[in-house]
Amino acid sequence: MANAATPVRDTWERHAFDTIKGSDYLADQDAVETMCQEAVDRVIEMERLGTLFSRTKDGKIAQRPFGGAGFPRTCYAADRTGHNLLHTLYEQVVGSEILVYEEWYALALVVAEGRCMGLLALDFFKGRIVPIHAKAVVLGTGGYGRIFLRSTNAVINTGSGCFLAYQAGYLSRTWNSSNFIPRAFTERTS
């Protein structure tokens, strides 16, 4: 989300090419084009909503190269970009009075006639399992970085959200395109 084409030399087309190439050409190319075309507007929107991005000496949003990018197009907020974006979005959700299930855990997707109709969730505070009917279900569960022995991912990132989809019969064609950046290093002691 925090990748945006630098207006000076970069273009959304170059950004899209880097993204698709970086996925070994497995990414959904239409989705990548949309993301790259909208990237600058989304970064500006997040800034206006309250995300404090790092700045250059002349006050512009700082950008750096990331991964296989051909240009420094990754906007960042020190070393807490995801954290800052998450909190900005959470503030907007709460401010818009959208219902948030705090401390709930999705246990299973409910599928009927090939369509996801909702989910079963555990309410940690009350210790009960509750069915939740929904017209649409969007899983944004944080990935599965904790399946590895060493990871900088949050402890909750166990892959359980991906497993929910798999268990319900929704096979993803992009499991191999998961955003995993191995940054956990260890020293040899012997």
Side-chain angles (χ1 to χ4, degrees):
M1 178 177 218
N3 280 353
T6 308
V8 180
R9 301 183 324 254
D10 204 0
T11 65
W12 75 262
E13 292 93 347
R14 288 179 178 151
H15 185 182
F17 177 76
D18 281 350
T19 303
I20 292 165
K21 181 180 171 191
S23 76
D24 287 334
Y25 298 89
L26 296 172
D28 179 327
Q29 294 189 15
D30 293 333
V32 169
E33 284 188 12
T34 299
M35 178 194 74
C36 295
Q37 288 170 348
E38 294 187 10
V40 173
D41 291 338
R42 297 295 73 81
V43 170
I44 292 168
E45 178 182 24
M46 290 306 298
E47 179 186 39
R48 289 184 178 150
L49 291 174
T51 300
L52 299 175
F53 288 103
S54 296
R55 299 285 174 175
T56 62
K57 290 179 184 177
D58 60 354
K60 295 180 181 176
I61 294 176
Q63 294 176 285
R64 61 184 172 203
F66 192 71
F71 293 90
R73 67 173 66 97
T74 300
C75 303
Y76 59 94
D79 63 346
R80 300 174 60 83
T81 309
H83 181 82
N84 289 359
L85 291 167
L86 177 70
H87 280 272
T88 299
L89 290 172
Y90 182 77
E91 288 169 1
Q92 296 303 310
V93 166
V94 171
S96 299
E97 298 182 6
I98 296 171
L99 179 61
V100 176
Y101 292 90
E102 303 265 357
E103 301 301 325
W104 286 59
Y105 190 82
L107 299 172
L109 297 178
V110 177
V111 179
E113 298 176 16
R115 186 172 180 277
C116 185
M117 307 297 285
L119 56 101
L120 290 176
L122 172 63
D123 177 349
F124 277 112
F125 289 136
K126 296 183 180 173
R128 61 190 176 118
I129 295 175
V130 179
I132 299 173
H133 182 268
K135 292 179 182 176
V137 174
V138 177
L139 291 175
T141 63
Y144 48 85
R146 283 292 168 172
I147 66 171
F148 299 98
L149 179 62
R150 290 179 177 81
S151 173
T152 58
N153 282 200
V155 176
I156 194 77
N157 291 354
T158 61
S160 59
C162 299
F163 183 68
L164 285 177
Y166 176 77
Q167 190 177 35
Y170 294 99
L171 296 175
S172 173
R173 60 191 169 122
T174 58
W175 291 124
N176 57 345
S177 297
S178 173
N179 184 7
F180 173 69
I181 303 155
R183 287 189 224 157
F185 299 102
T186 173
E187 260 185 68
R188 255 192 206 181
T189 56
S190 57

